[in-house]
């Protein structure tokens, strides 16, 4: 059955004016993929996701007009496809990219290596390749930022007009561990639409109270987000 899926995706070139692809994977995985067990085989859900991504990476040349890609309900396990040059070339053409994930194990597994490695691949391999990006959506069904680590410090998109973040954490602005606030402010001259859904500010355990409040963030955005309309 995997060959059938792969064959279908390999023939998308028969739609020469294809501009948008949306993959909304199942959001109900149970706990088939367990990062606590190194030798646990990938579930059929995870294998299917990798087949889709690899097929896109192999056939990026046949989609010259593709500018919009949605990857919804991704499982947070890394794969060599994220560093594949074909996949990066595909990402480089996109004007809109959506990456949202689901956590399939609620037993504290978000502190473990697989999730960390997945997001490291996203912010060091995938997002830096998105040089034509105008709209970006990043989200999850569990908090992103400190664990799993999501780092915006080295990311910048000179054409970015719209940004949506869901359950993405802000740091205290002193540690700079996530860099969400600075990332947004860097796009003050281009970003006209910003959506923050259930985002929060990280409170380090050793602190008695937050070092930075939302009021501080809003005041900064008021001064620096000169293109903001929504």
């Amino acid at each position: 059955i995997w060959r059938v899926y792969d064959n279908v995706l390999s023939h998308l070139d028969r739609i020469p004016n294809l501009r948008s692809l949306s993959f909304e994977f199942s959001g109900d995985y149970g706990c088939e993929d367990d990062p606590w067990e190194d030798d646990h085989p990938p579930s059929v859900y995870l294998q299917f996701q990798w087949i889709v991504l690899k097929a896109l990476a192999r056939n990026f040349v046949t989609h010259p007009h593709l500018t919009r890609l949605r990857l919804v309900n991704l499982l947070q396990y890394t794969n060599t496809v994220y560093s594949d040059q074909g996949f990066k070339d595909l990402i480089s053409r996109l004007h809109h990219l959506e990456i949202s994930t689901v956590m399939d194990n609620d037993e504290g597994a978000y502190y473990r290596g697989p999730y960390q490695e997945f997001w490291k691949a996203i912010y060091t391999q995938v997002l830096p390749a998105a040089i034509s990006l105008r709209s970006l959506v990043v989200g999850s069904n569990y908090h992103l930022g400190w664990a799993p680590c999501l780092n915006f410090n080295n990311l910048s998109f000179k054409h970015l007009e719209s940004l949506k973040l869901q359950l993405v954490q802000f740091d205290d602005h002193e540690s700079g561990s996530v860099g969400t606030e600075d990332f947004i402010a860097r796009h003050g001259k281009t970003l006209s639409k910003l959506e923050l859904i259930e985002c929060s500010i990280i409170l380090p355990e050793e602190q008695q109270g937050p070092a930075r409040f939302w009021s501080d963030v809003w005041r900064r955005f008021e001064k620096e987000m000169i293109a903001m309309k929504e």
Side-chain angles (χ1 to χ4, degrees):
I1 190 169
W2 302 126
R3 292 183 179 179
V4 174
Y5 287 124
D6 184 66
N7 186 55
V8 170
L9 292 169
S10 298
H11 286 83
L12 289 176
D13 58 326
R14 296 182 180 180
I15 312 175
N17 293 317
L18 183 67
R19 297 181 183 277
S20 177
L21 279 175
S22 179
F23 294 97
E24 190 157 341
F25 302 105
S26 171
D28 184 14
Y29 296 103
C31 293
E32 288 193 51
D33 293 296
D34 187 357
W36 292 95
E37 306 217 5
D38 294 335
D39 59 349
H40 193 84
S43 69
V44 292
Y45 305 108
L46 186 56
Q47 292 180 60
F48 175 63
Q49 290 184 12
W50 287 345
I51 282 175
V52 168
L53 297 176
K54 289 177 180 179
L56 289 175
R58 280 198 311 274
N59 298 281
F60 78 96
V61 176
T62 62
H63 311 306
H65 301 294
L66 183 65
T67 59
R68 181 180 177 89
L69 178 62
R70 296 180 68 243
L71 301 172
V72 180
N73 292 334
L74 283 175
L75 281 166
Q76 300 171 89
Y77 295 82
T78 193
N79 188 277
T80 56
V81 67
Y82 294 116
S83 59
D84 184 278
Q85 190 57 50
F87 190 70
K88 290 182 181 180
D89 288 341
L90 172 66
I91 295 296
S92 72
R93 299 177 179 182
L94 298 178
H95 292 170
H96 173 82
L97 174 61
E98 177 174 350
I99 298 175
S100 70
T101 63
V102 290
M103 189 165 291
D104 61 315
N105 189 315
D106 58 4
E107 296 296 328
Y110 52 92
Y111 291 106
R112 304 296 286 182
Y115 293 172
Q116 302 283 25
E117 290 303 310
F118 170 84
W119 282 107
K120 183 177 181 180
I122 296 300
Y123 69 75
T124 63
Q125 301 284 342
V126 178
L127 291 180
I131 58 176
S132 303
L133 212 59
R134 297 177 184 172
S135 174
L136 174 64
V137 178
V138 176
S140 181
N141 66 341
Y142 199 89
H143 296 288
L144 301 173
W146 182 68
C149 178
L150 179 60
N151 192 317
F152 288 105
N153 286 312
N154 297 315
L155 293 174
S156 182
F157 308 102
K158 63 181 180 179
H159 304 296
L160 192 66
E161 299 172 353
S162 176
L163 176 65
K164 178 179 178 179
L165 303 176
Q166 181 168 358
L167 285 169
V168 173
Q169 295 172 320
F170 286 59
D171 55 47
D172 58 9
H173 198 60
E174 294 179 357
S175 63
S177 57
V178 183
T180 312
E181 180 184 334
D182 288 340
F183 170 72
I184 295 172
R186 275 198 297 279
H187 300 88
K189 294 182 179 179
T190 61
L191 197 63
S192 61
K193 182 176 181 179
L194 174 65
E195 293 184 70
L196 302 177
I197 301 175
E198 297 185 79
C199 294
S200 59
I201 296 178
I202 299 171
L203 179 62
E205 293 183 3
E206 65 274 8
Q207 291 185 195
Q208 296 299 315
R212 193 161 181 81
F213 295 88
W214 281 115
S215 57
D216 300 315
V217 177
W218 304 140
R219 278 193 293 269
R220 182 183 183 188
F221 287 172
E222 183 180 10
K223 292 179 180 179
E224 300 184 26
M225 306 303 294
I226 59 177
M228 188 67 66
K229 295 179 181 179
E230 300 180 56

